[in-house]
Amino acid sequence: MMNDDVRQLNKRVEELEELNRLAQILSSTTGVTKTLEAIIQCSLTLCQSERGAIVLFESGDVNEGHTIIRNSAPAIDPIDHRINVIVGGYVLRSQQAFVAEDIITTAGYINPPERLRNLGAAMAVPLTSDGNVIGMINHVNSRDGRKFSPDEVRAAQIVASMASQFILRAKVHESLQKNVEELKESLAK
């Protein structure tokens, strides 16, 4: 009993250390791409996931979703766009986390393409702004790989909350930069 408590406590400390590293990056002047890479890497680490992707939904439409960053081990194929669309549809409709022990079965594939046959457990958490889903962080492991635990879903939700704030700030910054450029152009005329 004591060993389980110590193991659980050690796991929580490691989780807090990883979240602290991410918080430091989010508050630094690191560029957007490097920060997005750090977000997905933190989420993969905390969730013990083999593949991950951050997908943003334009105008609340999963079909207009754009994968802005993806990460996987070099020898592992990244998450297929079709899987992101299927999972994204669920996340948009339900506005909550998606968890499946077998993404291929859950997605309803009877004879999946070869590239999808090695996919197994999946988990996605929504990125939100003012109660609206603006995207998701999607995780997928290989067939016969690890399943995602409730603790890993919780950790992914924490990362998603932090990521949502960063993405919103980046969009505001981008919009302001565009307005400044337009103003400079109009003054130059």
Side-chain angles (χ1 to χ4, degrees):
M1 180 70 165
M2 180 73 131
N3 284 339
D4 286 341
D5 290 343
V6 170
R7 221 180 342 268
Q8 195 64 2
L9 186 58
N10 283 334
K11 184 176 179 182
R12 293 278 190 249
V13 168
E14 290 171 5
E15 181 180 292
L16 287 172
E17 288 171 344
E18 188 68 28
L19 289 170
N20 184 51
R21 277 191 287 280
L22 178 59
Q24 289 173 345
I25 291 169
L26 291 174
S27 65
S28 74
T29 57
T30 304
V32 171
T33 302
K34 290 281 186 202
T35 302
L36 290 170
E37 289 171 355
I39 290 168
I40 198 66
Q41 189 56 53
C42 176
S43 197
L44 290 173
T45 299
L46 290 174
C47 299
Q48 300 180 47
S49 180
E50 298 169 354
R51 300 170 187 81
I54 298 176
V55 180
L56 294 183
F57 307 132
E58 298 299 322
S59 51
D61 185 353
V62 72
N63 293 315
E64 293 186 32
H66 300 283
T67 301
I68 59 171
I69 193 104
R70 64 179 79 215
N71 193 339
S72 60
I76 297 176
D77 286 333
I79 301 172
D80 187 87
H81 179 69
R82 290 169 284 196
I83 298 300
N84 280 335
V85 169
I86 291 167
V87 173
Y90 174 86
V91 170
L92 264 174
R93 279 189 307 279
S94 69
Q95 298 192 4
Q96 59 186 337
F98 168 87
V99 181
E101 289 189 12
D102 181 347
I103 186 59
I104 301 305
T105 301
T106 302
Y109 281 103
I110 297 183
N111 188 18
E114 185 66 37
R115 181 174 180 180
L116 300 182
R117 290 185 186 157
N118 65 338
L119 301 179
M123 172 203 23
V125 291
L127 298 168
T128 60
S129 171
D130 297 325
N132 298 313
V133 175
I134 61 169
M136 69 177 178
I137 302 178
N138 195 10
H139 306 80
V140 179
N141 283 337
S142 296
R143 182 161 297 289
D144 301 324
R146 292 188 71 263
K147 310 296 184 238
F148 294 102
S149 72
D151 277 345
E152 290 161 345
V153 173
R154 181 190 49 75
Q157 289 170 324
I158 293 168
V159 172
S161 176
M162 296 167 79
S164 295
Q165 295 307 309
F166 171 78
I167 290 166
L168 290 174
R169 284 194 316 269
K171 283 185 170 190
V172 167
H173 180 50
E174 180 182 60
S175 177
L176 288 173
Q177 287 294 96
K178 183 179 176 186
N179 290 345
V180 167
E181 290 303 316
E182 288 172 358
L183 183 59
K184 284 181 181 178
E185 286 177 16
S186 71
L187 290 174
K189 292 180 182 180

